[in-house]
Amino acid sequence: MNQAAIVPEGAAVIADSVSKTFTQWQRKEGVKGIFRQQKKIVTALNDASFQIKKGEFVAYAGPNGAGKSTTMKLLSGMLSPTEGSISVLGMSPERDRIALMKRIGVLFGNRTELWWDHPVIQSFEWKKVVWNIPDEIYKRNLDRMKELLEIDGVQNTFARELSLGQRMRADLAMMLLHSPELVLLDEPTLGLDVVAKRQMIEFLKKINREDGVTILVTSHDMDDLEEMAQRIMMISKGQLAYDGDFDGLRRLTGNMTNFTVTTDGRRPELEGCRFLGGEHGVFEFEADLSCTSIQRLLEMLSRSDGIRDVEIRRVPIEQVIAGLYQSWKGEKV
C-alpha cells in the first residue's frame, strides 16, 4: 500500500503504535567465578503513538533513557521500529530515507557534520555539490544564515578552531542549506552560553514563524523548551505520558505558584502555604491555587502585620517537571 495515500492532510509526522527494542549482552558471574554472557532486552519505545502537524513547533522531553534520541533516529531513518509504523512527510523513513533526507534536517547537539580540519565554507560547498542544491537556493540560504546566525566571520575558520556556540550555529546553518520542511533537533542548546543559546532559540522561532518549518526539539532545559514550543510531548519509560501545552502540564501537579513576601522582619503565618525559606525579612512560599484561591491568599496577606511587598509568580517549569519525574519513578508503565 502507498503509505502517502493514507496520511492525513496537514500531518508532518505520524507514529502509530511504535515500539523499539534493543538486545544487550551482559557479562554475569556464575558458579565458581566463571563468567557467562546473558542476553538482556531493552525497550526504548513501547507502543508510542503521536502526530505532529505541519508548521508546529513541538518540544519532546523526558528523563535520561526515556526514548527521546531513539525517537529522533526512528523519524530520520537511522533506526527501524521493532513494531508499528512511522510516516514522515508522507514517506516511510525506513524505505524512503534518501528521498526523505532531502526534505528534512537533523541535528544532534553533541555531533557535527563539519569537516574538522577544513574551513567551514568547504563543508557548506561539499553539501551543495553532494545534495545537488541549486545555485540560487544555496546562495539565498547561505546569505540568510550569515545574517541571522552571524556566521559570516567564521566561514573561513577551521571547524576545530570554533567555539561550541560558533560550531553549533555553523552546524545549524549547514543543516538548513537545502531548505528542509521538517527539522529534528536533539539537544541543540547543549553546553551553549547564555548569548549563544539566545541566538539559537530566536533563530528557531523565526524560521518556524516566518517559513513554516516544522520543528521537533528535545532538551533537558525546560525553560528553553517552554520559550520555544507551543506544545510539549513527554515520554516516560518508552511511553507517551503527556501531550499538550505547558499550562496543562502545570495543572498536572496542581496550580502551583511561588511568591516572595518582604516584611519588617517578621515571618507571616499563611494557612495552606508551604514555607520554602528566607531570612532578613524576605521569605519564600509556595501555594497551590487550585486549593487556596488567589483571593484567599491576598486576604491572608492583607491581614498579616509588617508586610512591605509581595511578588507572585508561576512555579518554574523545571520545578514542575522535576516533580513529575519523581512521581513517574514509582509508576508501573
Side-chain angles (χ1 to χ4, degrees):
M1 181 182 294
N2 182 0
Q3 191 174 18
I6 64 173
V7 175
E9 184 178 357
V13 174
I14 299 176
D16 185 13
S17 302
V18 175
S19 295
K20 180 62 181 177
T21 59
F22 298 93
T23 300
Q24 290 183 351
W25 289 95
Q26 300 179 340
R27 194 173 73 160
K28 185 175 181 180
E29 186 174 359
V31 296
K32 298 181 179 179
I34 298 175
F35 289 95
R36 60 186 178 87
Q37 294 282 354
Q38 183 180 39
K39 183 168 72 172
K40 180 181 179 181
I41 303 298
V42 177
T43 301
L45 287 180
N46 183 13
D47 196 31
S49 297
F50 60 86
Q51 293 189 21
I52 299 173
K53 296 179 181 178
K54 292 179 180 178
E56 277 196 288
F57 198 141
V58 181
Y60 193 44
N64 287 331
K68 302 185 299 298
S69 294
T70 297
T71 301
M72 293 296 199
K73 292 174 182 177
L74 288 168
L75 296 180
S76 59
M78 298 179 189
L79 294 174
S80 300
T82 305
E83 296 180 4
S85 63
I86 297 174
S87 170
V88 178
L89 299 178
M91 294 181 281
S92 165
E94 186 177 1
R95 297 192 303 268
D96 308 315
R97 187 182 179 195
I98 294 177
L100 180 61
M101 291 306 294
K102 293 180 179 180
R103 297 177 61 188
I104 71 172
V106 184
L107 179 62
F108 290 86
N110 58 349
R111 301 178 186 175
T112 182
E113 290 190 44
L114 300 172
W115 289 359
W116 204 239
D117 293 315
H118 294 269
V120 170
I121 192 64
Q122 288 192 8
S123 295
F124 291 174
E125 291 172 348
W126 168 85
K127 180 172 181 177
K128 175 184 181 298
V129 173
V130 173
W131 287 58
N132 195 27
I133 303 174
D135 290 342
E136 64 276 12
I137 294 178
Y138 173 79
K139 184 179 185 306
R140 182 192 67 203
N141 287 338
L142 182 57
D143 288 344
R144 191 180 187 208
M145 296 306 111
K146 288 178 181 179
E147 176 187 356
L148 298 179
L149 289 173
E150 300 180 9
I151 60 169
D152 196 17
V154 302
Q155 65 176 355
N156 294 315
T157 303
F158 282 54
R160 67 170 185 267
E161 297 174 350
L162 300 177
S163 69
L164 178 59
Q166 290 172 331
R167 180 180 66 76
M168 288 297 296
R169 294 201 304 274
D171 267 313
L172 185 59
M174 183 170 176
M175 181 192 66
L176 296 171
L177 285 175
H178 64 294
S179 299
E181 303 165 49
L182 168 68
V183 170
L184 306 175
L185 302 168
D186 193 8
E187 297 285 353
T189 59
L190 185 66
L192 298 184
D193 61 32
V194 174
V195 175
K197 184 183 294 189
R198 175 58 45 201
Q199 289 175 319
M200 178 75 73
I201 290 173
E202 290 303 321
F203 177 77
L204 293 174
K205 290 165 65 177
K206 186 178 183 68
I207 64 171
N208 170 254
R209 181 179 63 252
E210 297 183 1
D211 300 339
V213 176
T214 307
I215 301 176
L216 178 63
V217 58
T218 76
S219 177
H220 284 93
D221 192 323
M222 295 300 151
D223 291 331
D224 286 354
L225 291 182
E226 185 174 26
E227 183 176 352
M228 287 188 282
Q230 299 89 34
R231 169 186 169 196
I232 181 170
M233 299 190 302
M234 297 199 64
I235 189 170
S236 174
K237 301 177 184 177
Q239 291 186 330
L240 208 62
Y242 176 81
D243 185 355
D245 60 24
F246 286 87
D247 287 337
L249 192 61
R250 283 187 164 88
R251 288 193 292 270
L252 286 179
T253 57
N255 190 6
M256 304 304 296
T257 296
N258 286 353
F259 60 98
T260 303
V261 180
T262 303
T263 74
D264 58 5
R266 290 172 286 179
R267 189 183 106 188
E269 296 296 329
L270 303 172
E271 183 182 353
C273 302
R274 187 163 72 95
F275 176 61
L276 301 178
E279 57 183 358
H280 305 306
V282 180
F283 304 103
E284 297 283 340
F285 293 87
E286 179 184 78
D288 185 349
L289 297 185
S290 62
C291 301
T292 302
S293 68
I294 190 68
Q295 181 179 2
R296 168 67 177 157
L297 177 60
L298 292 175
E299 287 175 356
M300 288 190 292
L301 289 168
S302 67
R303 292 197 301 266
S304 299
D305 295 329
I307 292 184
R308 296 173 176 172
D309 189 29
V310 177
E311 179 186 355
I312 300 176
R313 60 196 177 279
R314 292 194 304 176
V315 168
I317 196 67
E318 293 275 0
Q319 187 174 331
V320 175
I321 299 298
L324 286 175
Y325 286 176
Q326 289 296 322
S327 67
W328 289 345
K329 284 182 180 180
E331 290 181 1
K332 293 183 179 179
V333 177

